[in-house]
Amino acid sequence: VYVALRALRITSDDLFVDLGCGDGRMALAAAADFGARSVGIDISPALLRLCNRAAEHAGISCAPGSRLRFLLADMGPLIGFEASDAPAPASAPAAASLNPDAASLNPDAAEAVLALSSATAIYVYALPLVMPKLTPFLLRAIARGARVLTLDHHMPSASDTEAVAHLPPDCRALTRYLT
């Protein structure tokens, strides 16, 4: 977490967005330890409940207008990624949703897009099959000069990339993109 946030050069002047925030540890650390305004975006209501509990435990508010927010948003429809694009497990129908709860859950999508367009630093962890559709959307949506860091999976067709130097030996591949 801290290796990635330091690689993004997070400061209290940043709006940090964690796209695919999972349990929220990156967004929480950016807000609590670096003083950044921070937004975590995820498709899973269950994970966002964990995020909010972790923030509450840390004594940080997630209320609208606060330094830390967690948003429920399925970015798939916004980037042209449909559930049918994903390989289905052998036992599931081909059009099975990636997240059964997500079909009717996109209440924060507009706020998520606004956060992305205003972000100065973005962390992305997305599956490789999503990255080819996510990359053009991000490059259109984010502000010039924003710093983007990906874990494991590269942003195809993005330029101005650099491998993040000085990673611990047990750290997976991080790539920083300068827009």
Side-chain angles (χ1 to χ4, degrees):
V1 170
Y2 293 97
V3 169
L5 293 173
R6 282 192 295 274
L8 275 168
R9 301 179 188 119
I10 300 297
T11 72
S12 60
D13 294 329
D14 282 311
L15 171 56
F16 171 76
V17 173
D18 182 359
L19 186 54
C21 70
D23 65 7
R25 67 184 71 190
M26 294 284 285
L28 182 57
D33 300 330
F34 291 80
R37 289 175 299 130
S38 189
V39 177
I41 301 168
D42 206 277
I43 192 173
S44 169
L47 284 173
L48 290 178
R49 284 190 293 275
L50 286 175
C51 294
N52 286 305
R53 277 195 292 258
E56 183 180 326
H57 181 65
I60 298 177
S61 173
C62 295
S66 64
R67 177 164 294 286
L68 177 63
R69 295 276 291 136
F70 290 105
L71 304 176
L72 178 65
D74 178 0
M75 302 304 285
L78 300 175
I79 64 171
F81 184 84
E82 302 299 330
S84 59
D85 292 337
S91 62
S97 175
L98 294 176
N99 177 357
D101 296 330
S104 62
L105 295 175
N106 223 6
D108 296 329
E111 190 176 349
V113 171
L114 180 61
L116 282 166
S117 68
S118 304
T120 54
I122 301 167
Y123 177 79
V124 179
Y125 181 74
L127 297 174
L129 60 105
V130 174
M131 292 304 282
K133 291 191 177 187
L134 180 60
T135 299
F137 170 80
L138 279 178
L139 294 176
R140 281 190 315 272
I142 63 179
R144 189 94 181 122
R147 300 162 330 264
V148 180
L149 190 71
T150 62
L151 175 64
D152 290 338
H153 311 300
H154 298 288
M155 292 173 60
S157 76
S159 59
D160 296 328
T161 67
E162 59 183 342
V164 176
H166 311 297
L167 294 176
D170 61 338
C171 187
R172 299 183 318 200
L174 292 169
T175 305
R176 183 172 40 225
Y177 300 86
L178 309 171
T179 62

